[in-house]
Amino acid sequence: MSQAYKIKSYCHIEEGGLSLNGQVLYADTSKPFAEFIKAAYKAENTKYSKFFKMDNLSKLAFLAADVLLKNEKINPEEAQDIAIVFSNKSSSLNTDRKHQNTIEDSSNYFPSPAIFVYTLPNICIGEISIKYKLNSENSFFIFERFNANHLKTYSDILLSKNKAKEVLCGWVDFDDEGHYKAFLYLVALEGDIDNNEQEINKLYNI
Amino acid sequence: MDALKQELKEFIIEQLNLEDINVEDIGNDDALFGDGLGLDSIDALELIVMLDKNYGIKLTDPKQGRAIFESINTMADYITAHRTTN
């Protein structure tokens, strides 16, 4: 019989709100995303100057992961055995569009290196891995819609094959100002919520 | 020259997304990389693009950047001597 894994904790960032395990930590629906995420970062006392150089998708993923991992008392100074399995619909489209704007006019062709480096969705995994010294397995999948079954299956395999002790899973999507969402959760041997499709979908839709 | 140095500081803060740093915080001789302002390799590439876009200066050898981008003073000196646009 296969081991039943658990969800230890989860974090949401969407529509101007940041919550951890269902508890609102910061909310301001009046601000555009750039101001909201900066204010949420400061409210959470997240000291990481490279945050301000990240693209919107990485800011979204990084802050959600940081809030969740800090709550788990993860020490960023020690190497961690936590795998990452992320997914979304828009890939890095928001940044891809910005890059396109810098190269579409051949008479004004100045691609920005700082924008170009974020034209892949899995760069956000790198940002989290650098901060938390994660040298573990990681994957980023593109789906038409949230796919709880895939995340459950993939995290179960990683844990049962001893590829990692815990798996940071979820959905982090940034299309434009009005369409963004991060839902990350940590899967491990112990926790209060079953790591099954029904529970994952329930948490996603909170 | 002072106007150029002011312009460079404003560009660096704005375009390189330096949070909580003001123009007054950057000395003309302060190191921009390493223990100074803490700029990184992507910032260096961004500065190379800025030289081309704003001042018409094309660096053919990126290694030149090490000396040019040492400080605001070295950048301003190089731009003044090599700029092809006003």
Side-chain angles (χ1 to χ4, degrees):
Chain A
M1 187 177 150
S2 63
Q3 172 76 47
Y5 297 104
K6 300 287 186 174
I7 295 173
K8 289 174 79 175
S9 53
Y10 55 93
C11 178
H12 291 83
I13 302 178
E14 60 184 321
E15 296 177 0
L18 161 66
S19 66
L20 176 67
N21 299 327
Q23 302 296 310
V24 175
L25 299 180
Y26 178 81
D28 187 340
T29 55
S30 68
K31 290 186 170 82
F33 178 78
E35 290 177 32
F36 157 71
I37 202 77
K38 180 176 169 181
Y41 163 96
K42 294 202 168 179
E44 285 306 300
N45 201 25
T46 308
K47 299 189 186 309
Y48 194 63
S49 60
K50 197 169 183 290
F51 179 81
F52 298 100
K53 294 176 179 289
M54 297 178 194
D55 73 340
N56 289 329
L57 180 65
S58 287
K59 282 179 178 169
L60 195 56
F62 180 89
L63 187 60
D66 196 61
V67 166
L68 203 154
L69 294 175
K70 265 195 305 200
N71 182 62
E72 293 295 329
K73 308 284 189 284
I74 301 291
N75 182 356
E77 300 306 317
E78 293 175 8
Q80 305 293 330
D81 193 10
I82 302 173
I84 297 182
V85 184
F86 284 177
S87 56
N88 79 5
K89 178 182 179 181
S90 306
S91 184
S92 55
L93 192 57
N94 179 251
T95 301
D96 297 347
R97 290 191 195 104
K98 290 177 181 170
H99 176 60
Q100 174 71 22
N101 288 337
T102 69
I103 62 172
E104 63 188 358
D105 180 358
S106 58
S107 65
N108 186 32
Y109 186 91
F110 294 104
S112 162
I115 293 175
F116 179 73
V117 293
Y118 287 102
T119 56
L120 283 171
N122 57 339
I123 300 300
C124 69
I125 292 178
E127 298 288 9
I128 297 163
S129 298
I130 291 168
K131 166 83 187 285
Y132 281 94
K133 293 186 169 58
L134 309 182
N135 300 314
S136 42
E137 295 274 336
N138 65 71
S139 301
F140 200 116
F141 297 93
I142 314 297
F143 291 116
E144 182 62 28
R145 60 186 63 83
F146 183 67
N147 188 334
N149 178 265
H150 183 84
L151 294 174
K152 182 247 185 288
T153 304
Y154 205 96
S155 57
D156 278 1
I157 291 170
L158 286 171
L159 293 168
S160 64
K161 300 290 184 189
N162 294 318
K163 296 292 185 185
K165 287 181 179 166
E166 298 184 345
V167 186
L168 180 63
C169 295
W171 178 265
V172 55
D173 190 69
F174 194 103
D175 187 353
D176 57 41
E177 276 290 328
H179 301 90
Y180 64 87
K181 174 167 184 156
F183 161 56
L184 302 186
Y185 60 97
L186 196 60
V187 183
L189 269 173
E190 295 177 353
D192 293 333
I193 305 167
D194 289 338
N195 184 43
N196 63 41
E197 194 174 338
Q198 186 183 0
E199 292 293 340
I200 296 168
N201 274 321
K202 197 159 82 181
L203 293 178
Y204 173 80
N205 288 308
I206 282 179
Chain B
M1 185 68 110
D2 286 345
L4 174 60
K5 290 175 185 174
Q6 174 82 8
E7 185 177 290
L8 290 172
K9 290 176 186 177
E10 288 171 358
F11 174 90
I12 286 171
I13 291 169
E14 178 71 21
Q15 295 300 313
L16 305 186
N17 297 305
L18 303 185
E19 186 67 12
D20 297 330
I21 290 181
N22 301 311
V23 166
E24 301 77 39
D25 299 329
I26 306 175
N28 290 337
D29 277 322
D30 287 353
L32 300 181
F33 291 83
D35 292 336
L37 212 50
L39 303 187
D40 60 23
S41 56
I42 299 297
D43 294 324
L45 294 174
E46 205 67 39
L47 291 176
I48 290 173
V49 173
M50 180 272 290
L51 283 187
D52 187 7
K53 186 175 183 180
N54 296 359
Y55 306 106
I57 300 171
K58 288 187 190 297
L59 288 191
T60 50
D61 180 4
K63 288 177 187 168
Q64 287 179 277
R66 186 180 293 269
I68 298 167
F69 302 137
E70 199 174 302
S71 68
I72 292 294
N73 275 339
T74 58
M75 282 181 74
D77 288 343
Y78 189 85
I79 290 169
T80 302
H82 296 88
R83 68 188 302 165
T84 61
T85 59
N86 290 318

